[in-house]
Amino acid sequence: MTELDELSSHIASLEIGSSVPLRSEFRMPLLGLGVYQVTKPETISACLAAFEAGYRHIDSAQVYRNEAEVGIAFRQSGLRREDVFVTSKVNSRNHGFDKATEWIDKSLRNFQMDYIDLFLIHDPFSGKERRLETWRALIKARDEGKIRSIGVSNYSILHLEEIKKADLELPVVNQLEIHPFCQQRPIVEWCRNHRVFVQAYCPLLRGQRWDNDLLVALSQKYNKSVPQILVRWSLQAGYSPLPKSTRAERIMSNARVFDFEIEIQDMVQLELLDIGDQGAVSWNPTYAP
């Protein structure tokens, strides 16, 4: 089977329950709900709405301060633990081997779970030495069964290469700002060459540029909203999109992207929207030294 055949098969089989095998040998649901800057009460209602809509992947972080609410929503949902994929992250203020280890344990207590499916280094701002210490802490926690898969977020090729040069295992995931206007192509190429799966945060552009002529035209062509076009683009491009919303109807709408396919010529046009770092709508700290 050629790469084109594999891509065509992947696109044709996409559904809300689609997942991808990670290098850790665990599977990750492709569509996830992001809960960045979501209040504690809204986190519970948003996660419950997502579970009701068929999402099985929640992306949280320690700095979001809503890990406990994600755990509450999971327990209220009645779903089995093995059917829900939960992510958290440790940011640079809590980097270093001992401190990261301490905060991993805090996350477990917050979620009230026996393990976390995916744990990421949230950003690369702490510098090379502390980044590597933190990575070693994640490896140890994974080996102890506290975490199933480990990865990074906002890592450039420089940061990824320093892990490789330290003769440490590579992340299974790199979470980046990814959407048609900011495609991070060199980092994505490196990741795919090294079997590091790329997650896409800010896939909905934080509501910016929705009036772009191409997005509007495709919305009309496919009879789908602009957010649905953006989520579908991310899935077809081979990413794991993490759209954020607190409103049940939008959470459900963002998941209604499995009944259509963006044609190849339209995918090409969307790829041409890329303007690199100038297209970012978030902090995108990949240039940290």
Side-chain angles (χ1 to χ4, degrees):
M1 180 179 286
T2 67
E3 290 185 4
L4 182 58
D5 290 335
E6 290 181 7
L7 178 60
S8 298
S9 176
H10 161 75
I11 293 170
S13 63
L14 281 174
E15 58 185 17
I16 195 165
S18 292
S19 62
V20 62
L22 301 176
R23 216 176 57 253
S24 59
E25 300 184 357
F26 290 100
R27 297 191 71 90
M28 179 178 71
L30 284 173
L31 180 64
L33 176 74
V35 291
Y36 170 66
Q37 287 188 337
V38 178
T39 66
K40 295 178 185 293
E42 286 179 325
T43 297
I44 297 174
S45 60
C47 289
L48 287 172
F51 292 144
E52 180 68 23
Y55 293 71
R56 293 296 182 264
H57 179 171
I58 307 294
D59 180 75
S60 186
Q62 292 170 352
V63 294
Y64 300 173
R65 299 184 180 181
N66 53 23
E67 292 173 320
E69 287 67 34
V70 171
I72 290 169
F74 160 69
R75 289 186 292 278
Q76 290 184 3
S77 74
L79 293 167
R80 299 181 304 172
R81 179 64 187 91
E82 59 266 31
D83 293 332
V84 175
F85 190 97
V86 175
T87 299
S88 194
K89 316 173 191 76
V90 59
N91 77 335
S92 53
R93 286 178 296 180
N94 298 316
H95 284 185
F97 187 90
D98 292 338
K99 201 164 187 180
T101 299
E102 174 188 350
W103 279 83
I104 290 167
D105 290 338
K106 285 184 179 181
S107 287
L108 284 166
R109 291 195 297 270
N110 286 339
F111 286 123
Q112 293 187 36
M113 294 176 176
D114 294 330
Y115 64 88
I116 298 169
D117 295 278
L118 177 63
F119 204 90
L120 309 178
I121 296 178
H122 201 157
D123 65 81
F125 285 133
S126 62
K128 178 179 178 180
E129 182 178 347
R130 291 179 66 208
R131 284 194 294 265
L132 289 175
E133 287 179 3
T134 305
W135 187 240
R136 291 185 176 96
L138 265 62
I139 292 173
K140 182 173 184 289
R142 191 274 319 279
D143 291 345
E144 293 172 344
K146 298 176 181 179
I147 302 167
R148 286 192 163 181
S149 300
I150 54 177
V152 296
S153 181
N154 299 300
Y155 264 41
S156 69
I157 295 173
L158 169 71
H159 309 129
L160 293 161
E161 281 286 349
E162 74 186 14
I163 294 175
K164 185 178 179 182
K165 290 174 182 176
D167 201 26
L168 296 170
E169 62 182 277
L170 291 175
V172 301
V173 162
N174 189 9
Q175 187 180 121
L176 299 165
E177 177 175 345
I178 297 277
H179 47 73
F181 297 92
C182 180
Q183 296 179 37
Q184 313 261 30
R185 293 183 186 184
I187 305 175
V188 169
E189 181 181 5
W190 192 100
C191 287
R192 289 180 170 168
N193 286 339
H194 292 82
R195 296 182 63 205
V196 178
F197 197 84
V198 178
Q199 291 182 317
Y201 72 78
C202 290
L204 303 183
L205 300 163
R206 292 188 170 174
Q208 300 178 36
R209 302 192 180 100
W210 286 8
D211 60 350
N212 173 268
D213 289 345
L214 177 59
L215 293 178
V216 171
L218 294 180
S219 173
Q220 294 170 349
K221 174 178 178 177
Y222 293 101
N223 195 28
K224 292 289 182 179
S225 68
V226 167
Q228 288 170 329
I229 295 295
L230 291 167
V231 172
R232 182 69 197 191
W233 173 85
S234 190
L235 288 165
Q236 283 188 217
Y239 302 114
S240 167
L242 306 168
K244 169 204 164 182
S245 181
T246 59
R247 294 171 55 180
E249 64 272 20
R250 289 190 177 177
I251 291 169
M252 294 179 67
S253 176
N254 291 338
R256 294 190 183 116
V257 296
F258 300 99
D259 58 351
F260 79 108
E261 179 181 330
I262 300 175
E263 296 173 0
I264 292 177
Q265 64 268 27
D266 294 330
M267 289 292 291
V268 171
Q269 290 302 308
L270 285 166
E271 289 178 5
L272 293 175
L273 293 177
D274 188 21
I275 52 175
D277 296 335
Q278 293 181 350
V281 298
S282 182
W283 61 334
N284 192 29
T286 53
Y287 286 100

